[in-house]
Amino acid sequence: MKRIAVFTSGGDAPGMNACIRAVVRTAIYNNIEIYGIMRGYEGMIKGRIHRMESKSVSNILQTGGTILKSARSKEFITHEGRKKAYQQLKHFDIDGLIAIGGDGTFTGAKVFHEEFGMPTVGCPGTIDNDIYGTDYTIGYDTAVNTALEAIDKIRDTADSHNRVFFVEVMGRDSGYIAIQSGIGGGAEIVMVPETETTIEQVIDTLQKGKLNHKASSIVIVAEGDEEGNAAEIAEKVKTATNGLDIRVTTLGHIQRGGTPTARDRILASRMGIGAVEGLLAGKSNVMAGVENNQLVYTSFDDAINKQKPIQDDLIKMVEVLSI
Ligand code: F6P
């Protein structure tokens, strides 16, 4: 292997730049030429591929976003699109790929490998933490801390006005951001797609809180919860109760930006090194993850398809600690 390329794809996540830096420098350290592909699969199809040097990744370790930009490519979903991408890679003599992204990115890489045999190793980069084969994904820790900072601020105003706040956090179909920011922020209720929480249960808990003279209550709603989004749930609770002063805040994309935490920088750097070393050792169609503080490789198949459930004790913690 002489020449490899790196790209970021799907939703950006804080720490992706730290990962790009690690990939670029590990490749150069091993005397491999490294190329950057702009805007994920979209840029691959269009041949937006350029040589990277050690200096190309100076001073990016601490920045959010991705210097390689990101996109969700519709064209790459088609065989024709993937063929164009392969031709571009061949034109640049690329022998292997490092894909930084989430399950959509890995699904694309898996099909691409099956069709064209391009060796690819992935690094899990998504704030959602919904990838099997790694305890944490790049960007998740930063997103949880961003959500937590917002929840702490909401608590100040909620307490001052004796209000109930419904705070919606991201996560697509996963409740990881919700559960950890909820526990860290002392939420009274956390609603996640992984477990059912009915409107009646929410009302019951809020009313108990009122009887216990709680000054405020915070309900964290994961955006993928089966009861709907925070605004819809708040409306249902409002209609069924009297005397609860309710407000809704949706945190949205602020959870995707910002300076990566130390944990994310280190995790991303470790995965970036692991991905290049794996590729050079002949691994392909796998993701470099970290489980129990050990670098492990998991097939794209498992990373995409296997479930990573939220531990039951975390769900129980909210109930115990919010009395
Ligand atoms: O996968 C990351 C994520 O931020 C999810 O939490 C969210 O559902 C989605 O991306 C939002 O996507 P977009 O930025 O395309 O609106």
Side-chain angles (χ1 to χ4, degrees):
M1 201 161 279
K2 291 203 167 56
R3 197 178 267 194
I4 64 172
V6 58
F7 64 97
T8 49
S9 162
D12 63 338
M16 277 186 165
N17 280 333
C19 191
I20 296 167
R21 171 179 175 268
V23 168
V24 168
R25 294 207 167 153
T26 308
I28 294 170
Y29 185 85
N30 286 283
N31 298 315
I32 304 290
E33 286 182 18
I34 177 81
Y35 282 69
I37 304 173
M38 299 304 292
R39 302 199 74 237
Y41 293 119
E42 205 62 33
M44 203 185 283
I45 292 169
K46 296 199 168 85
R48 294 187 61 198
I49 301 171
H50 62 273
R51 179 82 185 264
M52 294 183 86
E53 307 292 347
S54 188
K55 280 249 173 307
S56 320
V57 290
S58 294
N59 215 9
I60 64 166
L61 175 68
Q62 72 279 24
T63 58
T66 157
I67 59 159
L68 293 177
K69 313 276 181 181
S70 195
R72 303 190 201 272
S73 172
K74 289 218 166 64
E75 201 178 348
F76 196 79
I77 296 172
T78 67
H79 175 74
E80 264 319 294
R82 291 193 292 274
K83 196 168 158 197
K84 279 191 210 162
Y86 181 70
Q87 284 161 348
Q88 292 287 2
L89 294 178
K90 283 292 101 186
H91 175 74
F92 283 89
D93 269 336
I94 304 290
D95 310 309
L97 290 175
I98 305 288
I100 307 169
D103 53 358
T105 306
F106 297 160
T107 305
K110 180 177 168 278
V111 178
F112 195 51
H113 180 265
E114 281 161 8
E115 286 176 342
F116 300 101
M118 176 60 67
T120 305
V121 177
C123 294
T126 165
I127 64 164
D128 300 339
N129 199 32
D130 57 348
I131 308 280
Y132 178 88
T134 190
D135 292 336
Y136 298 108
T137 54
I138 299 165
Y140 170 67
D141 188 61
T142 308
V144 168
N145 279 289
T146 301
L148 196 56
E149 205 185 317
I151 293 164
D152 287 347
K153 287 176 178 160
I154 287 168
R155 180 68 81 180
D156 288 346
T157 176
D159 236 42
S160 306
H161 287 266
N162 288 2
R163 279 176 170 159
V164 174
F165 267 82
F166 286 80
V167 181
E168 184 179 307
V169 297
M170 276 188 169
R172 204 180 288 275
D173 304 320
S174 157
Y176 270 97
I177 297 178
I179 196 72
Q180 290 213 344
S181 62
I183 292 171
E188 276 62 30
I189 303 162
V190 178
M191 301 179 77
V192 292
E194 288 84 351
T195 56
E196 200 195 344
T197 309
T198 63
I199 299 294
E200 290 67 38
Q201 283 171 309
V202 174
I203 293 170
D204 192 48
T205 307
L206 292 177
Q207 276 168 345
K208 273 189 196 137
K210 211 176 168 196
L211 286 176
N212 286 341
H213 304 290
K214 268 185 176 274
S216 63
S217 289
I218 292 185
V219 184
I220 304 294
V221 181
E223 64 175 344
D225 191 73
E226 70 286 346
E227 285 290 351
N229 63 32
E232 288 161 353
I233 295 170
E235 199 48 50
K236 289 181 204 168
V237 172
K238 215 175 195 171
T239 315
T241 52
N242 256 336
L244 288 182
D245 191 4
I246 294 175
R247 294 290 185 276
V248 179
T249 302
T250 300
L251 299 186
H253 284 78
I254 62 158
Q255 294 160 99
R256 286 251 291 269
T259 301
T261 58
R263 259 180 205 280
D264 270 331
R265 295 182 203 192
I266 295 159
L267 182 74
S269 302
R270 211 170 165 196
M271 288 171 171
I273 292 179
V276 175
E277 287 180 346
L279 197 61
L280 297 184
K283 291 190 191 302
S284 179
N285 228 7
V286 294
M287 174 196 87
V290 174
E291 285 185 323
N292 300 319
N293 209 19
Q294 297 296 316
L295 191 88
V296 288
Y297 297 94
T298 302
S299 70
F300 280 152
D301 238 340
D302 284 354
I304 300 159
N305 296 316
K306 286 199 175 168
Q307 296 298 315
K308 186 162 83 176
I310 291 179
Q311 293 95 323
D312 287 341
D313 63 315
L314 292 187
I315 310 266
K316 184 75 184 165
M317 271 174 86
V318 177
E319 190 188 322
V320 174
L321 298 179
S322 65
I323 52 171

